[in-house]
Amino acid sequence: MAYTISDWDIETEVLVLGSGAAGLSAAIMAHDCGAKVLVVEKSDAFGGTTACSGGGAWIPNSHLNIESGIEDSKDKAFNYAKLLTKGRASDELIRTYIETAPEMLKYMMDKTPLQVERSSMPDYHPEQPGGHNAKNSRTVIPLLFCRQDLGDSEPLLRKNPTMGIPMTNSEMNEWNAMGTPQKIDFELIAGRMEKGMVGFGEALIGFLYEACMDRGMEMITKTRGVSLVMDNNKVIGLKSVREGKDFFIKAGKGIILATGGFEWDEDLKAAFLPGPVTHPNSVPFNEGDGLKMAMAIGAALGNMSEHWGWSSTRIPGETAMGRTMNRGLLSERTLPHSIIVNKQGKRFCNEAASYNDMAKRLWDFNENTTEFPNLPSWLVFDQVYKDSYALMTVMPGDDAPEWVQRGDTPVELAGKIGVDPAGLVETLRRFNEYAAKGEDPDFQRSVSVYDYLWGDADNKPSPCLGTVEKPPFYAVPVYCGTLGTKGGPKTDVHARVLNVNGEVIDGLYAAGNTMASVCGPAYWGGGATIGPAMVFGYISGRHAARAKSK
């Protein structure tokens, strides 16, 4: 529905909806290009899904890599990205990202408090043409941020419920903090926590939020966008709801949609995703608000069947932000002495592959039974794993909690989790035979150097392979989770939203998980969510600020 409004509750030039990495990057750039900016956040705190993430950004050919003597090039990165994108994004859009990413990072590091370090994270397909290994990582991770630097605004920075330990990426790797948290220097961590230090996505948002505050930018919370206000086929403002009442905002130059994906909206998931996503890992405010508003005025859509998948589970009773909290499985499925099996007791994937690619196997469809045979599946591990590594909140040596199933034999465990016992016994026999040699002929676990990323470097003969044979045996269920959906309005290279005829919708932009992702079905490397979010936020803010006022 279109509106024409003569009286506005508030007026600005560039209106940014959402306060994750995309929204805050857009706001900073729009302000620095001379526009009056208003940031509107639906929830009660700033940060979006980014604040609850690892905070990395995939930036090929960055100045940090160049200064470190790392060989990279725009063409090399483009060829790698295009190969994995599978035609879901135009060459022009991919090229724009590759060319703008290093510029964006340099600008943010020069003009805002943002501090990052090079990671040791390989691309997620480093063996593919143009891929980079860990030594040549394209991923950057924020350094620590002090929440106290925000003063009275500190409570408005969203807290990270699962990655709240203040450590740098370098420290996380040194300690292998996810798999062997007993190696963490907890005295150092406790001191940092007393000072209000945070890391990862919370730090990234902290740096960007501080930059917005330094600029005196107007930012409001608890305001939900409902519909776009049009005049002569131009977007001129927003109808929102604030304190239970309609609240109209005029945007003289443009509106940037950065409201996240639609992974918490059951109707939109049912309409667009080809399989169930029951355990989202993002903030529960991502209900497709920007998508709905864009659809209502004829925006073209792209990549709607894709999401940033993550195999996930749930610890009973855990909540965050008023909703049940889900936890992604990362090191748990990569470390030695664990496998994932389906209802038949069979492995069906390389458990150590990137979370996005491994999660695609959860949607395998059985044409005869019309079921998803890998949902739920089960993470199965033995006592060696239990004694050596962490399982989410369960530390090595802790008693197994009630939500972890236990059996003295594989057959007993299979009976408790509803898995075919003969299938599980045979799967373990075959897996153990090869794991002892450091091999996996069935799914090539340990072939890619990426597989080692969350493994145990001290384990021989492979960082991510070890037999599952010492009783008792344990299991937790595995469901399809997601960091966010990655489909939305199609955009041009300026992040302007296009209509169904391929024409620009004047005054409307999209960035982050609201837009049709430049990655298509792929996850190029660590931070391939946040990198494009920041880049197209940066692009949209610059272009909107230079637009003519309506």
Side-chain angles (χ1 to χ4, degrees):
M1 182 175 182
Y3 294 83
T4 54
I5 303 295
S6 56
D7 297 318
W8 303 92
D9 292 291
I10 190 171
E11 297 189 21
T12 191
E13 291 182 317
V14 175
L15 172 61
V16 178
L17 296 183
S19 62
L24 296 188
S25 298
I28 291 166
M29 198 58 190
H31 173 277
D32 290 3
C33 288
K36 179 182 179 182
V37 180
L38 171 64
V39 177
V40 171
E41 168 57 41
K42 170 184 177 179
S43 72
D44 60 352
F46 298 113
T49 297
T50 305
C52 302
S53 74
W58 192 77
I59 310 293
N61 210 34
S62 73
H63 69 283
L64 298 179
N65 278 6
I66 293 172
E67 291 167 1
S68 298
I70 292 174
E71 274 192 41
D72 200 358
S73 70
K74 295 176 181 178
D75 287 343
K76 187 177 180 182
F78 171 80
N79 291 335
Y80 170 77
K82 180 180 178 179
L83 173 70
L84 298 181
T85 302
K86 306 299 182 186
R88 295 285 186 89
S90 69
D91 288 3
E92 190 178 25
L93 203 64
I94 299 171
R95 183 73 72 180
T96 296
Y97 175 74
I98 299 299
E99 292 180 350
T100 309
E103 171 192 323
M104 179 281 300
L105 180 65
K106 184 70 164 58
Y107 185 91
M108 291 297 178
M109 293 185 69
D110 287 347
K111 303 296 184 179
T112 79
L114 178 63
Q115 301 176 57
V116 303
E117 65 175 347
R118 290 186 55 249
S119 80
S120 57
M121 186 178 296
D123 288 343
Y124 287 179
H125 293 277
E127 289 79 23
Q128 295 295 327
H132 271 198
N133 60 29
K135 293 181 180 179
N136 299 328
S137 179
R138 289 162 165 153
T139 301
V140 298
I141 309 284
L143 295 177
L144 299 180
F145 174 78
C146 182
R147 292 181 64 103
Q148 294 175 5
D149 289 348
L150 299 175
D152 293 341
S153 297
E154 182 272 334
L156 293 177
L157 173 60
R158 182 162 302 288
K159 293 183 178 180
N160 190 329
T162 59
M163 297 185 71
I165 298 178
M167 68 178 77
T168 65
N169 180 74
S170 298
E171 291 168 340
M172 183 178 71
N173 292 332
E174 178 185 349
W175 296 325
N176 190 17
M178 290 190 174
T180 55
Q182 63 268 31
K183 297 180 181 179
I184 294 174
D185 184 341
F186 283 104
E187 184 176 349
L188 174 65
I189 295 299
R192 289 173 177 174
M193 294 179 77
E194 289 180 2
K195 297 176 182 178
M197 305 298 289
V198 294
F200 304 109
E202 194 174 343
L204 174 59
I205 292 298
F207 287 125
L208 298 180
Y209 181 28
E210 184 180 11
C212 291
M213 291 179 57
D214 290 345
R215 288 160 169 76
M217 206 175 294
E218 188 170 6
M219 306 174 71
I220 59 177
T221 59
K222 301 179 182 179
T223 304
R224 179 175 187 168
V226 175
S227 58
L228 299 166
V229 181
M230 305 288 292
D231 184 30
N232 292 325
N233 295 318
K234 297 180 179 180
V235 175
I236 63 168
L238 176 78
K239 176 186 177 183
S240 65
V241 175
R242 180 173 171 80
E243 298 179 347
K245 299 179 181 179
D246 289 347
F247 189 77
F248 290 92
I249 306 171
K250 183 178 181 181
K253 290 179 175 288
I255 293 179
I256 300 171
L257 302 175
T259 57
F262 57 87
E263 62 273 13
W264 287 91
D265 186 284
E266 297 303 321
D267 290 339
L268 289 173
K269 286 191 294 183
F272 293 112
L273 298 182
V277 173
T278 55
H279 290 61
N281 310 100
S282 62
V283 294
F285 316 109
N286 294 344
E287 300 172 299
D289 295 348
L291 171 65
K292 294 173 185 176
M293 287 186 279
M295 289 171 64
I297 62 169
L301 304 181
N303 214 43
M304 293 299 294
S305 62
E306 296 292 340
H307 71 125
W308 307 101
W310 195 311
S311 54
S312 300
T313 195
R314 183 176 294 163
I315 297 176
E318 275 197 327
T319 61
M321 294 162 274
R323 302 285 286 269
T324 298
M325 190 171 88
N326 303 307
R327 288 182 176 269
L329 296 169
L330 188 58
S331 59
E332 294 88 351
R333 58 181 173 78
T334 301
L335 287 162
H337 311 291
S338 72
I339 59 172
I340 293 178
V341 299
N342 61 17
K343 299 171 186 176
Q344 287 75 45
K346 298 179 180 179
R347 295 177 66 218
F348 55 89
C349 66
N350 171 8
E351 296 93 340
S354 82
Y355 34 89
N356 183 67
D357 293 325
M358 183 262 153
K360 291 180 186 297
R361 298 303 306 274
L362 296 174
W363 282 352
D364 286 355
F365 183 76
N366 186 306
E367 71 280 10
N368 296 314
T369 64
T370 69
E371 293 179 339
F372 296 97
N374 300 333
L375 284 174
S377 51
W378 292 86
L379 176 75
V380 174
F381 54 101
D382 70 356
Q383 190 63 36
V384 177
Y385 181 103
K386 179 72 177 56
D387 291 339
S388 305
Y389 308 119
L391 176 75
M392 294 176 286
T393 60
V394 183
M395 298 298 105
D398 288 353
D399 291 336
E402 292 183 359
W403 49 268
V404 178
Q405 296 295 324
R406 180 184 181 278
D408 289 333
T409 66
V411 171
E412 181 184 354
L413 181 66
K416 290 185 175 181
I417 63 178
V419 162
D420 178 64
L424 180 58
V425 168
E426 173 57 23
T427 293
L428 289 174
R429 183 203 65 77
R430 180 174 174 82
F431 179 80
N432 290 339
E433 176 186 345
Y434 286 103
K437 306 173 187 177
E439 301 173 0
D440 178 19
D442 296 323
F443 297 101
Q444 291 74 55
R445 178 170 164 179
S446 84
V447 170
S448 172
V449 296
Y450 172 81
D451 295 358
Y452 302 162
L453 180 60
W454 307 111
D456 180 358
D458 295 329
N459 186 73
K460 305 300 179 185
S462 167
C464 58
L465 284 173
T467 60
V468 183
E469 60 183 348
K470 183 178 180 180
F473 300 88
Y474 303 89
V476 294
V478 179
Y479 303 94
C480 189
T482 185
L483 299 174
T485 53
K486 55 197 301 193
K490 288 184 176 181
T491 59
D492 69 1
V493 296
H494 302 296
R496 296 180 295 183
V497 173
L498 305 175
N499 67 19
V500 292
N501 296 317
E503 302 161 338
V504 169
I505 298 178
D506 193 12
L508 187 63
Y509 301 79
N513 285 350
T514 307
M515 69 178 278
S517 175
V518 67
C519 296
Y523 213 130
W524 298 328
T529 50
I530 292 174
M534 295 183 72
V535 166
F536 287 101
Y538 174 90
I539 289 171
S540 64
R542 179 175 60 191
H543 193 276
R546 295 170 178 173
K548 293 181 179 179
S549 295
K550 299 182 281 291

